[in-house]
Amino acid sequence: MNLELSDEQAAAKRLAAEFVDREIAPHATAWDRTESVDTAIVSKLGEVGFLGLTIPEEYGGSGGDHLTYCLVLEELGRGDSAVRGIVSVSLGLVTKSINHYGSEEQKRTWLPRLTSGAALGCFGLTEPGTGSDAAQLRTRAVRDGDDWVLSGTKMFITNGTWADVALVFARTGGEGHRGITAFLVPTDSPGFTARTIHGKLGLRGQATAELVFDGVRVPDSARLHDEGKGFTVAMAALAKGRMSVAAGCVGIAQACLDAAVGYATEREQFGKPIAGHQLVQELLADIALDVDAARLLVWRVADLIDRGAEFAVESSKAKLFASEAAVRAADRALQVFGGYGYIDEFPVGKYLRDAKVMTLYEGTSQIQKLLIGRALTGVSAF
Ligand code: FAD
């Protein structure tokens, strides 16, 4: 694996860093306070090509490899995890699934709109009663002539109230994962409603929503991949999705390091900058180590994907380590800031609140450990 970035990759990282410093980071605290990012950011993300990374140009994508994708997501995560989540979900889970599994008609209908930011996607897997054990989901899709009629509720859906299309997983057959089928549901379909969930600990700028499907009718052409193959679509999306969450976590941890080093060299106590106290340096060194280790794990996953190799377990490892590392980094950075870390005049408190959910979604830390354990032993402990 080559750890030196190519000219194109370095240019993409620079472009993303400049975009974040101009369009995102200055607004992140305000968006957190008002519980919504400015949704104009979506078309700006589309214009600069960040919603089309790795998608072929013939469908409006901006191409590029998965390392480039991770470099951009890291920068977005450094700026605001709420914005990083828009890209991880719309591009990472929805657009990429359509690109991989979609019919030509589905690709022509959705990909140019999704990659340009004219439309946004959400990913509806979790339900009120089924989270980690997603294969038990209860949302139903019943065949009626050439149509399917969907009924059920999805919970905690990122981009839920902003999305134009929902990639929804519904039961079309018997119990278990083989009875699940994926559908692309336009959110202006009669019977579809989305309700914003307020009061989140972090990612407050994100539109996280409960989706209700009350007899939503879609044609069979809205089915993504074969009947009964929905769980395959979901798990494939999440395997890559975990890498993108991990890349965002590296961004959080890097932001913590930058903020903590900056503050430590300016703040004076006991007659010298606190950076000169050994225990403060220990906090900084521990953050730096987590940043580097998490980044290398993310790059390894990207490299495996770009070489066409198996990557799912490595993606779980990267997500597990990077999400826990981001929480540790944010906690340590807050400690460096002392009381000032506890108020939102400085960003480290937000980093801690935002980081925590990374250990929960796209599979909790416990679920990642079970996936890694199963790969190590050949024994499922689910
Ligand atoms: P549960 O599954 O009930 O788990 C509760 C606890 O039990 C956890 O600690 C878990 O690790 C533990 N546990 C469960 N099973 C086991 C086991 N076998 N062994 C050991 N421990 C176990 N979902 C979507 O589909 N789309 C989205 O866009 C989306 N966005 C989200 C955004 C936010 C802000 C949040 C908070 C969630 C989002 N989710 C989304 C849902 C998320 O993926 C789930 O919350 C997550 O998978 C956990 O499910 P749960 O909350 O039902 O917890």
Side-chain angles (χ1 to χ4, degrees):
M1 179 180 171
N2 185 0
L3 293 179
E4 245 172 64
L5 300 181
S6 68
D7 288 348
E8 293 79 19
Q9 289 162 341
K13 184 172 167 60
R14 260 196 318 277
L15 177 70
E18 285 163 13
F19 181 85
V20 163
D21 291 339
R22 190 178 64 246
E23 303 285 352
I24 297 176
H27 310 291
T29 300
W31 292 341
D32 185 60
R33 286 178 181 158
T34 57
E35 284 197 39
S36 181
V37 307
D38 178 353
T39 49
I41 196 71
V42 174
S43 44
K44 290 180 185 174
L45 288 164
E47 269 164 37
V48 76
F50 294 164
L51 287 168
L53 288 164
T54 74
I55 305 297
E57 290 173 15
E58 63 168 309
Y59 297 116
S62 41
D65 53 21
H66 283 82
L67 183 51
T68 305
Y69 174 58
C70 287
L71 294 169
V72 171
L73 286 167
E74 179 187 327
E75 288 302 324
L76 295 176
R78 182 177 66 77
D80 187 358
S81 294
V83 177
R84 195 274 307 158
I86 292 175
V87 178
S88 280
V89 171
S90 191
L91 166 60
L93 299 182
V94 180
T95 311
K96 279 168 172 280
S97 295
I98 298 172
N99 183 51
H100 192 79
Y101 292 106
S103 64
E104 195 54 34
E105 183 199 340
Q106 287 168 337
K107 291 184 190 183
R108 298 262 167 232
T109 303
W110 289 113
L111 294 185
R113 296 177 61 200
L114 288 165
T115 53
S116 67
L120 204 60
C122 70
F123 182 85
L125 180 65
T126 304
E127 301 183 352
T130 52
S132 300
D133 193 5
Q136 303 308 320
L137 62 83
R138 301 237 176 85
T139 295
R140 274 228 155 258
V142 177
R143 191 73 195 241
D144 182 22
D146 288 340
D147 295 342
W148 292 91
V149 180
L150 280 79
S151 305
T153 304
K154 296 290 177 181
M155 191 64 181
F156 298 130
I157 306 306
T158 302
N159 294 347
T161 48
W162 296 330
D164 301 276
V165 60
L167 173 52
V168 181
F169 300 90
R171 189 162 299 287
T172 53
E175 292 299 301
H177 63 89
R178 287 192 186 86
I180 296 171
T181 302
F183 295 92
L184 293 167
V185 180
T187 57
D188 58 3
S189 304
F192 174 93
T193 46
R195 180 186 64 86
T196 304
I197 299 167
H198 292 287
K200 295 197 302 286
L201 179 67
L203 292 191
R204 289 194 188 153
Q206 259 288 342
T208 310
E210 181 187 57
L211 310 184
V212 176
F213 299 83
D214 184 8
V216 175
R217 185 173 284 274
V218 291
D220 188 48
S221 59
R223 177 173 42 79
L224 186 69
H225 201 15
D226 296 337
E227 201 178 326
K229 291 286 187 195
F231 205 66
T232 306
V233 175
M235 292 305 112
L238 291 176
K240 280 189 187 163
R242 286 170 184 144
M243 174 190 69
S244 93
V245 172
C249 289
V250 176
I252 297 177
Q254 180 67 57
C256 290
L257 184 62
D258 296 344
V261 169
Y263 189 78
T265 49
E266 280 171 18
R267 174 75 172 170
E268 294 194 0
Q269 290 294 292
F270 296 96
K272 61 180 178 181
I274 58 169
H277 299 299
Q278 289 183 350
L279 294 180
V280 173
Q281 286 199 5
E282 183 188 42
L283 288 167
L284 300 176
D286 284 341
I287 299 173
L289 186 61
D290 267 338
V291 171
D292 279 359
R295 185 178 285 129
L296 286 170
L297 286 172
V298 170
W299 284 23
R300 180 173 65 171
V301 184
D303 183 61
L304 289 171
I305 295 177
D306 287 332
R307 284 193 285 113
E310 278 297 315
F311 65 91
V313 178
E314 304 312 321
S315 193
S316 282
K317 288 183 195 166
K319 195 267 189 184
L320 171 61
F321 185 86
S323 60
E324 302 275 343
V327 174
R328 282 194 298 272
D331 186 40
R332 286 175 174 136
L334 200 155
Q335 201 68 22
V336 171
F337 274 75
Y340 292 94
Y342 205 67
I343 55 175
D344 75 355
E345 189 183 329
F346 295 97
V348 286
K350 175 177 179 299
Y351 297 150
L352 183 58
R353 290 187 287 104
D354 286 349
K356 183 60 198 173
V357 77
M358 315 297 170
T359 69
L360 302 175
Y361 66 17
E362 301 211 16
T364 63
S365 289
Q366 286 74 25
I367 294 301
Q368 305 310 328
K369 286 178 186 172
L370 294 182
L371 292 167
I372 296 163
R374 186 176 64 186
L376 287 171
T377 63
V379 180
S380 171
F382 284 101

